Amino acid sequence: MNAPLLVERPQLLTDIAYDRLREGIVVGDLKLGEQVSEAQLAQRMGISKTPVREALVRLKMEGLVEIVPQRGTFVFKLTPEQVGQLCRYRAMIETAALREAAAVQPAELLSRLRGHVAEMAVQEKAGDLNKLSRIDMNFHYEFLACCSNPYLRAAYELIRYQLIALRHRAPIDNMVDSHQVLIDMLEEGDVEAAVAELHKHVLENEARYSAACSRA
């Protein structure tokens, strides 16, 4: 009767460590480029080093940490060239997903996007940059959620949490207006105009994301 509990407990601790470390990186408690110690992280969380080590391996797969042999583990930090590559990769995936989502679930897509913009308006007025960054990510993820291609979603997962972390460090000022314009184009049935606007919108982030990495 006790055997299943003995198997699940270490995995639960790994999940907890993973969630806390990922959140710490995303919101900036752990700085870009910062070296992290398994022992110190384990001590801070009151757990052994093993679940921390396993959590860091998972975070590496999401691009949030870099494990360098003989040197240690570091929170990710991108060069200007890497930021450019990230933004272009993101633009390719999101525009492809938007085209497909607009073809297969146009009503559902619009409904979800409108909901996120309504949330943005509330949080923009409140000045809550933390919530705005998450709403921004959720808005863009709807292109993936409403498309029928699982390969696009899998490709996006490779960069999803890097993007969330960069958004927190480089919020945009005109969030409601810059996202409402996409909705307006989709409501008018001009998907290609929306795709072009999305492509431009994504690439405009490059300078801010580079600046956020250079400040770290």
Side-chain angles (χ1 to χ4, degrees), residues 151-162:
Y151 294 102
L152 286 175
R153 287 192 292 275
Y156 202 70
E157 289 300 323
L158 296 174
I159 61 168
R160 185 177 180 184
Y161 289 99
Q162 280 190 347

Side-chain angles (χ1 to χ4, degrees), residues 92-202:
M92 287 188 290
I93 295 172
E94 286 195 22
T95 53
L98 173 55
R99 278 195 183 94
E100 187 160 332
V104 298
Q105 291 197 80
E108 179 66 17
L109 175 64
L110 274 170
S111 176
R112 294 187 185 193
L113 296 182
R114 292 187 193 109
H116 290 310
V117 167
E119 290 181 76
M120 283 179 190
V122 172
Q123 299 307 328
E124 195 168 73
K125 186 175 181 180
D128 193 326
L129 296 180
N130 181 38
K131 289 183 180 177
L132 278 170
S133 296
R134 294 181 185 276
I135 297 167
D136 184 11
M137 187 68 212
N138 291 338
F139 179 99
H140 285 265
Y141 194 73
E142 296 300 356
F143 307 142
L144 285 299
C146 290
C147 85
S148 57
N149 190 333
Y151 294 102
L152 286 175
R153 287 192 292 275
Y156 202 70
E157 289 300 323
L158 296 174
I159 61 168
R160 185 177 180 184
Y161 289 99
Q162 280 190 347
L163 290 174
I164 297 174
L166 291 171
R167 275 185 169 94
H168 273 271
R169 292 162 173 84
I172 61 177
D173 297 324
N174 60 334
M175 191 172 292
V176 171
D177 291 342
S178 64
H179 290 81
Q180 181 62 49
V181 67
L182 286 169
I183 294 176
D184 293 343
M185 291 173 176
L186 290 172
E187 287 177 335
E188 292 169 2
D190 197 341
V191 175
E192 287 308 309
V195 166
E197 180 65 27
L198 175 60
H199 188 271
K200 182 182 76 170
H201 172 83
V202 170

